[in-house]
Amino acid sequence: MTAADVIRYLALVERRMFIIEHSGMSWRPEYEPELKSIDRELVKLRRVIDAEHAKRKELGN
């Protein structure tokens, strides 16, 4: 996992949290596709994270 992957993951999580936290009563329909896009990208990055964890576990670190 590269530093760019980590930064992207954190930025996506931050944006997702911002939308959910601040939308409330002011929910806009355009948030839905953005959240779905964020979730799809997070799933891909999560696979990379899980692979890194598995490698570390195999190495005993």
Side-chain angles (χ1 to χ4, degrees), residues 14-59:
E14 183 178 21
R15 176 63 180 156
R16 189 177 198 288
M17 289 175 56
F18 178 84
I19 291 170
I20 291 170
E21 182 179 337
H22 292 94
S23 60
M25 295 292 289
S26 61
W27 179 260
R28 296 184 206 162
E30 60 265 21
Y31 289 150
E32 189 65 31
E34 184 178 1
L35 284 175
K36 285 181 180 182
S37 175
I38 289 170
D39 288 344
R40 281 191 302 271
E41 196 167 347
L42 286 173
V43 166
K44 291 176 187 175
L45 288 168
R46 188 68 227 180
R47 289 183 189 128
V48 174
I49 292 167
D50 292 342
E52 289 292 327
H53 284 256
K55 277 198 295 190
R56 285 184 180 196
K57 190 174 183 178
E58 288 174 12
L59 295 174

